[in-house]
Amino acid sequence: MIKDFEYFAPKTVEEALSLLSQYKEEAKIIAGGQSMLVVMRQGILAPEYLIDVKGISALDYINYDEREGLRIGALTIHRAIEKSPVIGNGFSVLAEMENNLATIQTRNWGTIGGNLCHGDPAGDPAPVFIALNAKLKLASKGGERTIDMEEFSKDYLEVALEPDEMLTEIQVPTPPPHTGTAYEKLMVMKGDMGIIGAAVSITLSPKNGVCQGARIVLSNAASIPLRAREAEKRLIGKVVKDDLLIEAGEVASAEADPPSDVHGSVEYRREMVKVFVKRAARKALEKAKAG
Ligand SMILES: Cc1cc2nc3c(=O)[nH]c(=O)nc-3n(C[C@H](O)[C@H](O)[C@H](O)COP(=O)(O)OP(=O)(O)OC[C@H]3O[C@@H](n4cnc5c(N)ncnc54)[C@H](O)[C@@H]3O)c2cc1C
């Protein structure tokens, strides 16, 4: 049962930050409620004050310019990212990822900021944003700070937000030329949470096709989205062929520390990491060659 709480529905960021500054640990933000209501119903969270930010229209936007890169307001719904012409142009991995995230109903109400702040290591957007080298803008009454997406996840359902802070924006730099990024996840049915997932970004030298940069990030393979740095090193500085993709998958599998649950044992997940890293890396490579 959900414990009683006092409800606020601010219409501006300033109003929301003022409430957070007043009630701090006793308050929680709710956006689309797709995750928040689940944890409240389970009694994992029982805030005294619930701050409903869904009505803050100023945080619902997707903008792009080449110098600044992509800017997504925290209250943008998943479906808007999936369908945005801005995203489709150069950030196709985000639209592809969103297309496999939950059902259309959930994508039509759940927000990208809520997904990231929930801190579920099985979530799809976080590994993709890490592969894209994204940053998050966090605001409090005292000011703003920016943090690498990679530094944001601290532990299972735990993120680097202070009690008086809220996420306002996701910032994705324009990828270097000849970069491809792909995300592949293992799901029983389309839209399921991933049993494991792999986001891979590869940048090729235009001169000789050598891999200049690689990011490999796993979902549901540790208590946070996991950057497989050793696997990345197997690709950087080389002309990437299938044997290297297989090797990178094997190394990533050894770096993973996956959970065991009804959907898969540790051993099964380790095997699937090999398959999905290879699959995502192959797709990223094709995109990099095309772009
Ligand atoms: C049936 C179903 C299937 C799903 N499948 C998937 C899936 O396949 N892949 C996947 O990745 N996710 C999946 N999800 C999770 C879903 O994507 C998230 O629940 C949703 O995006 C969370 O957004 P929300 O706006 O509903 O956040 P809420 O539930 O309102 O909030 C979630 C958390 O974030 C905090 N929060 C929200 N906004 C902010 C903010 N701006 N600043 C600071 N803190 C904030 C809240 O306090 C809370 O702790 C699924 C959910 C459901 C219900």
Side-chain angles (χ1 to χ4, degrees):
M1 209 176 74
I2 292 181
K3 206 174 136 276
D4 283 354
F5 52 82
E6 199 170 329
Y7 174 81
F8 298 95
K11 289 281 174 278
T12 64
V13 174
E14 292 69 28
E15 230 184 298
L17 295 179
S18 184
L19 288 162
L20 281 172
S21 151
Q22 189 176 349
Y23 296 118
K24 297 201 172 70
E25 285 88 355
E26 293 182 319
K28 276 301 277 185
I29 284 178
I30 188 165
Q34 300 295 299
S35 297
M36 189 59 189
L37 288 174
V38 177
V39 291
M40 285 175 72
R41 217 176 284 133
Q42 290 170 340
I44 296 169
L45 286 178
E48 295 284 329
Y49 304 95
L50 201 60
I51 304 171
D52 180 350
V53 295
K54 191 81 157 89
I56 305 180
S57 54
L59 294 184
D60 177 8
Y61 58 87
I62 302 173
N63 297 328
Y64 176 73
D65 93 55
E66 202 168 330
R67 202 174 57 84
E68 296 280 321
L70 183 66
R71 304 278 152 133
I72 307 175
L75 291 171
T76 306
I77 56 169
H78 295 288
R79 186 73 167 159
I81 297 172
E82 180 189 359
K83 291 289 172 193
S84 163
V86 177
I87 298 282
N89 183 17
F91 299 93
S92 58
V93 64
L94 287 173
E96 289 155 15
M97 175 274 292
E98 290 289 6
N99 184 256
N100 279 321
L101 183 152
T103 56
I104 289 182
Q105 289 87 336
T106 297
R107 298 205 291 278
N108 259 327
W109 200 248
T111 64
I112 190 66
N115 186 295
L116 298 177
C117 293
H118 183 51
D120 187 342
D124 299 309
V128 176
F129 281 125
I130 295 171
L132 289 169
N133 196 16
K135 291 183 188 305
L136 305 181
K137 192 156 94 182
L138 310 178
S140 70
K141 214 177 162 192
E144 287 180 341
R145 67 181 172 120
T146 311
I147 181 171
D148 283 348
M149 178 64 231
E150 196 178 342
E151 305 297 325
F152 190 58
S153 300
K154 289 293 170 202
D155 206 342
Y156 182 71
L157 303 189
E158 214 181 295
V159 294
L161 267 176
E162 295 300 329
D164 63 344
E165 280 183 321
M166 72 181 284
L167 169 64
T168 54
E169 186 178 77
I170 299 125
Q171 306 176 338
V172 190
T174 301
H178 307 287
T179 296
T181 308
Y183 180 63
E184 293 283 326
K185 73 168 172 175
L186 171 62
M187 37 189 177
V188 178
M189 282 196 314
K190 183 172 159 62
D192 279 351
M193 294 297 288
I195 296 169
I196 70 103
V200 179
S201 173
I202 291 179
T203 303
L204 298 177
S205 157
K207 276 193 232 136
N208 52 16
V210 163
C211 174
Q212 287 181 319
R215 282 180 171 237
I216 300 177
V217 193
L218 308 175
S219 60
N220 216 3
S223 63
I224 56 169
L226 184 77
R227 187 130 178 235
R229 290 180 181 276
E230 291 305 316
E232 294 171 2
K233 286 182 196 159
R234 301 300 167 113
L235 304 182
I236 296 169
K238 315 227 175 74
V239 174
V240 179
K241 297 263 166 55
D242 248 26
D243 56 337
L244 276 187
L245 298 183
I246 293 167
E247 193 181 321
E250 281 168 359
V251 174
S253 168
E255 288 182 85
D257 181 16
S260 174
D261 56 28
V262 289
H263 303 294
S265 62
V266 171
E267 294 74 22
Y268 176 66
R269 280 194 164 90
R270 281 199 193 283
E271 282 307 306
M272 290 304 105
V273 167
K274 293 179 193 171
V275 175
F276 280 77
V277 164
K278 186 177 66 184
R279 211 175 270 181
R282 196 177 281 149
K283 200 164 163 192
L285 191 60
E286 279 164 20
K287 285 188 182 183
K289 282 177 181 167

